[in-house]
Amino acid sequence: MAVWQHRQAQDARVQAAQVRRSTAELSRVLTAPDAAVRSARLSGAGTGTVVVSRRVDRAVFLAATLPLLRSGEVYQLWFDDAGTMRPAGLLPAPRSSAVAVLLDGPVGRATGVGITVEAAGGSTRPTTAPLALILFS
């Protein structure tokens, strides 16, 4: 029992450290002097907003009122590299009316962010039409 408790406490410390790092990076993008904000209505329902900082080379996606998906589906984000979509992460299942997530990887030369509905675990390429494509400019 003591070994299990030690392992649980260790796992909780690791998760807390990851959350702190992610929150700090998210905050760094949102407060960057060059942060640009773009929003769009998502087909179906909800609103998506992207905050991008070229200086920080990262982006944050914020969504409001996303509909719950069927079992086995996830929302997936994509960087639009001049028409080629690059995976940028999965949204956690909505537990409230709003969600904010730091996109995976650098912005690079991306011109926007797309969001699709994909099978659980995501995919390497979009398999459905985008709910929205939010351009950076």
Side-chain angles (χ1 to χ4, degrees):
M1 182 70 152
V3 171
W4 178 81
Q5 288 174 331
H6 176 72
R7 171 69 126 219
Q8 291 295 94
Q10 186 176 7
D11 289 349
R13 283 191 295 276
V14 168
Q15 286 178 339
Q18 289 171 337
V19 167
R20 281 192 299 276
R21 279 191 300 275
S22 179
T23 301
E25 192 68 15
L26 193 137
S27 181
R28 194 168 148 230
V29 173
L30 295 176
T31 61
D34 69 328
V37 181
R38 303 287 184 264
S39 295
R41 298 256 333 129
L42 306 179
S43 65
T47 303
T49 299
V50 175
V51 180
V52 63
S53 168
R54 295 284 183 185
R55 182 179 295 168
V56 177
D57 200 23
R58 298 299 300 266
V60 171
F61 183 81
L62 304 115
T65 62
L66 286 175
L68 294 176
L69 296 174
R70 293 179 293 195
S71 178
E73 293 181 328
V74 295
Y75 289 106
Q76 186 164 358
L77 299 167
W78 307 89
F79 281 117
D80 179 7
D81 292 331
T84 300
M85 302 305 266
R86 171 173 43 105
L90 304 175
L91 287 182
R95 290 181 179 81
S96 67
S97 62
V99 63
V101 64
L102 181 68
L103 275 69
D104 293 346
V107 171
R109 294 183 179 202
T111 57
V113 169
I115 180 170
T116 61
V117 175
E118 302 294 339
S123 65
T124 57
R125 291 189 192 145
T127 63
T128 63
L131 300 175
L133 179 59
I134 305 170
L135 299 177
F136 293 155
S137 56

PDB file of all heavy atoms in Angstrom, residues 24 29-30 37 42 44 50 55 61 82 88 93 101 109 126-127:
ATOM      1  N   ALA A  24       2.133  28.332 -17.962  1.00  0.00           N
ATOM      2  CA  ALA A  24       3.101  29.414 -18.153  1.00  0.00           C
ATOM      3  C   ALA A  24       3.283  29.706 -19.640  1.00  0.00           C
ATOM      4  O   ALA A  24       3.332  30.870 -20.058  1.00  0.00           O
ATOM      5  CB  ALA A  24       4.439  29.060 -17.504  1.00  0.00           C
ATOM      6  N   VAL A  29       2.042  33.253 -24.448  1.00  0.00           N
ATOM      7  CA  VAL A  29       1.463  33.558 -25.762  1.00  0.00           C
ATOM      8  C   VAL A  29       0.391  34.634 -25.620  1.00  0.00           C
ATOM      9  O   VAL A  29       0.377  35.610 -26.377  1.00  0.00           O
ATOM     10  CB  VAL A  29       0.861  32.296 -26.420  1.00  0.00           C
ATOM     11  CG1 VAL A  29       0.111  32.641 -27.694  1.00  0.00           C
ATOM     12  CG2 VAL A  29       1.946  31.262 -26.694  1.00  0.00           C
ATOM     13  N   LEU A  30      -0.497  34.467 -24.653  1.00  0.00           N
ATOM     14  CA  LEU A  30      -1.621  35.397 -24.503  1.00  0.00           C
ATOM     15  C   LEU A  30      -1.168  36.813 -24.162  1.00  0.00           C
ATOM     16  O   LEU A  30      -1.855  37.785 -24.507  1.00  0.00           O
ATOM     17  CB  LEU A  30      -2.584  34.887 -23.435  1.00  0.00           C
ATOM     18  CG  LEU A  30      -3.307  33.573 -23.758  1.00  0.00           C
ATOM     19  CD1 LEU A  30      -4.160  33.141 -22.579  1.00  0.00           C
ATOM     20  CD2 LEU A  30      -4.140  33.691 -25.020  1.00  0.00           C
ATOM     21  N   VAL A  37      -5.221  38.217 -32.348  1.00  0.00           N
ATOM     22  CA  VAL A  37      -6.424  37.449 -32.019  1.00  0.00           C
ATOM     23  C   VAL A  37      -7.350  37.401 -33.232  1.00  0.00           C
ATOM     24  O   VAL A  37      -7.667  38.428 -33.818  1.00  0.00           O
ATOM     25  CB  VAL A  37      -7.172  38.085 -30.821  1.00  0.00           C
ATOM     26  CG1 VAL A  37      -8.410  37.278 -30.471  1.00  0.00           C
ATOM     27  CG2 VAL A  37      -6.250  38.220 -29.619  1.00  0.00           C
ATOM     28  N   LEU A  42     -17.835  28.266 -35.588  1.00  0.00           N
ATOM     29  CA  LEU A  42     -17.609  26.902 -36.052  1.00  0.00           C
ATOM     30  C   LEU A  42     -18.898  26.377 -36.651  1.00  0.00           C
ATOM     31  O   LEU A  42     -19.986  26.636 -36.121  1.00  0.00           O
ATOM     32  CB  LEU A  42     -17.174  26.009 -34.889  1.00  0.00           C
ATOM     33  CG  LEU A  42     -15.966  26.494 -34.083  1.00  0.00           C
ATOM     34  CD1 LEU A  42     -15.676  25.529 -32.952  1.00  0.00           C
ATOM     35  CD2 LEU A  42     -14.760  26.668 -34.965  1.00  0.00           C
ATOM     36  N   GLY A  44     -21.897  24.151 -37.233  1.00  0.00           N
ATOM     37  CA  GLY A  44     -22.574  23.316 -36.239  1.00  0.00           C
ATOM     38  C   GLY A  44     -22.930  24.144 -35.029  1.00  0.00           C
ATOM     39  O   GLY A  44     -24.076  24.397 -34.759  1.00  0.00           O
ATOM     40  N   VAL A  50      -8.235  32.015 -32.058  1.00  0.00           N
ATOM     41  CA  VAL A  50      -6.810  31.702 -32.056  1.00  0.00           C
ATOM     42  C   VAL A  50      -6.053  32.951 -31.645  1.00  0.00           C
ATOM     43  O   VAL A  50      -6.319  34.038 -32.149  1.00  0.00           O
ATOM     44  CB  VAL A  50      -6.327  31.239 -33.446  1.00  0.00           C
ATOM     45  CG1 VAL A  50      -4.825  31.040 -33.458  1.00  0.00           C
ATOM     46  CG2 VAL A  50      -7.019  29.963 -33.859  1.00  0.00           C
ATOM     47  N   ARG A  55       6.513  36.069 -32.405  1.00  0.00           N
ATOM     48  CA  ARG A  55       7.729  36.230 -31.600  1.00  0.00           C
ATOM     49  C   ARG A  55       7.958  35.005 -30.709  1.00  0.00           C
ATOM     50  O   ARG A  55       9.064  34.491 -30.619  1.00  0.00           O
ATOM     51  CB  ARG A  55       7.639  37.489 -30.745  1.00  0.00           C
ATOM     52  CG  ARG A  55       8.893  37.740 -29.918  1.00  0.00           C
ATOM     53  CD  ARG A  55       8.791  38.988 -29.109  1.00  0.00           C
ATOM     54  NE  ARG A  55       8.719  40.141 -29.999  1.00  0.00           N
ATOM     55  CZ  ARG A  55       8.393  41.360 -29.603  1.00  0.00           C
ATOM     56  NH1 ARG A  55       8.093  41.588 -28.346  1.00  0.00           N
ATOM     57  NH2 ARG A  55       8.351  42.351 -30.463  1.00  0.00           N
ATOM     58  N   PHE A  61      -5.494  28.055 -28.775  1.00  0.00           N
ATOM     59  CA  PHE A  61      -6.849  27.946 -29.312  1.00  0.00           C
ATOM     60  C   PHE A  61      -7.821  28.000 -28.149  1.00  0.00           C
ATOM     61  O   PHE A  61      -7.659  27.275 -27.162  1.00  0.00           O
ATOM     62  CB  PHE A  61      -7.026  26.633 -30.080  1.00  0.00           C
ATOM     63  CG  PHE A  61      -8.378  26.495 -30.717  1.00  0.00           C
ATOM     64  CD1 PHE A  61      -8.659  27.107 -31.926  1.00  0.00           C
ATOM     65  CD2 PHE A  61      -9.383  25.769 -30.093  1.00  0.00           C
ATOM     66  CE1 PHE A  61      -9.917  26.989 -32.518  1.00  0.00           C
ATOM     67  CE2 PHE A  61     -10.633  25.645 -30.670  1.00  0.00           C
ATOM     68  CZ  PHE A  61     -10.897  26.262 -31.889  1.00  0.00           C
ATOM     69  N   ALA A  82       0.076  26.924 -45.723  1.00  0.00           N
ATOM     70  CA  ALA A  82      -0.207  27.250 -47.130  1.00  0.00           C
ATOM     71  C   ALA A  82      -0.967  26.121 -47.827  1.00  0.00           C
ATOM     72  O   ALA A  82      -0.617  25.686 -48.909  1.00  0.00           O
ATOM     73  CB  ALA A  82       1.076  27.585 -47.868  1.00  0.00           C
ATOM     74  N   ALA A  88      -1.826  19.801 -34.878  1.00  0.00           N
ATOM     75  CA  ALA A  88      -1.476  20.772 -33.848  1.00  0.00           C
ATOM     76  C   ALA A  88      -2.078  20.419 -32.495  1.00  0.00           C
ATOM     77  O   ALA A  88      -2.076  21.238 -31.584  1.00  0.00           O
ATOM     78  CB  ALA A  88      -1.919  22.167 -34.278  1.00  0.00           C
ATOM     79  N   ALA A  93     -11.919  16.725 -24.059  1.00  0.00           N
ATOM     80  CA  ALA A  93     -13.384  16.659 -24.111  1.00  0.00           C
ATOM     81  C   ALA A  93     -13.952  17.828 -23.320  1.00  0.00           C
ATOM     82  O   ALA A  93     -13.535  18.074 -22.192  1.00  0.00           O
ATOM     83  CB  ALA A  93     -13.874  15.337 -23.530  1.00  0.00           C
ATOM     84  N   VAL A 101      -6.340  25.814 -25.057  1.00  0.00           N
ATOM     85  CA  VAL A 101      -5.278  24.819 -25.210  1.00  0.00           C
ATOM     86  C   VAL A 101      -4.118  25.431 -25.998  1.00  0.00           C
ATOM     87  O   VAL A 101      -4.332  26.168 -26.966  1.00  0.00           O
ATOM     88  CB  VAL A 101      -5.809  23.535 -25.888  1.00  0.00           C
ATOM     89  CG1 VAL A 101      -6.278  23.794 -27.286  1.00  0.00           C
ATOM     90  CG2 VAL A 101      -4.784  22.438 -25.881  1.00  0.00           C
ATOM     91  N   ARG A 109       5.606  28.823 -40.357  1.00  0.00           N
ATOM     92  CA  ARG A 109       5.055  29.633 -41.450  1.00  0.00           C
ATOM     93  C   ARG A 109       3.550  29.453 -41.622  1.00  0.00           C
ATOM     94  O   ARG A 109       2.991  29.829 -42.655  1.00  0.00           O
ATOM     95  CB  ARG A 109       5.762  29.284 -42.749  1.00  0.00           C
ATOM     96  CG  ARG A 109       7.207  29.677 -42.727  1.00  0.00           C
ATOM     97  CD  ARG A 109       7.861  29.399 -44.045  1.00  0.00           C
ATOM     98  NE  ARG A 109       9.246  29.812 -43.984  1.00  0.00           N
ATOM     99  CZ  ARG A 109       9.969  30.098 -45.028  1.00  0.00           C
ATOM    100  NH1 ARG A 109       9.453  29.992 -46.230  1.00  0.00           N
ATOM    101  NH2 ARG A 109      11.216  30.468 -44.898  1.00  0.00           N
ATOM    102  N   PRO A 126      -6.362  15.528 -41.957  1.00  0.00           N
ATOM    103  CA  PRO A 126      -7.800  15.688 -41.718  1.00  0.00           C
ATOM    104  C   PRO A 126      -8.602  14.669 -42.537  1.00  0.00           C
ATOM    105  O   PRO A 126      -8.305  14.432 -43.707  1.00  0.00           O
ATOM    106  CB  PRO A 126      -8.089  17.113 -42.205  1.00  0.00           C
ATOM    107  CG  PRO A 126      -6.776  17.811 -42.188  1.00  0.00           C
ATOM    108  CD  PRO A 126      -5.752  16.759 -42.470  1.00  0.00           C
ATOM    109  N   THR A 127      -9.588  14.064 -41.904  1.00  0.00           N
ATOM    110  CA  THR A 127     -10.447  13.095 -42.596  1.00  0.00           C
ATOM    111  C   THR A 127     -11.877  13.619 -42.747  1.00  0.00           C
ATOM    112  O   THR A 127     -12.707  12.958 -43.337  1.00  0.00           O
ATOM    113  CB  THR A 127     -10.487  11.741 -41.850  1.00  0.00           C
ATOM    114  OG1 THR A 127     -11.062  11.940 -40.563  1.00  0.00           O
ATOM    115  CG2 THR A 127      -9.095  11.133 -41.725  1.00  0.00           C
TER     116      THR A 127
END
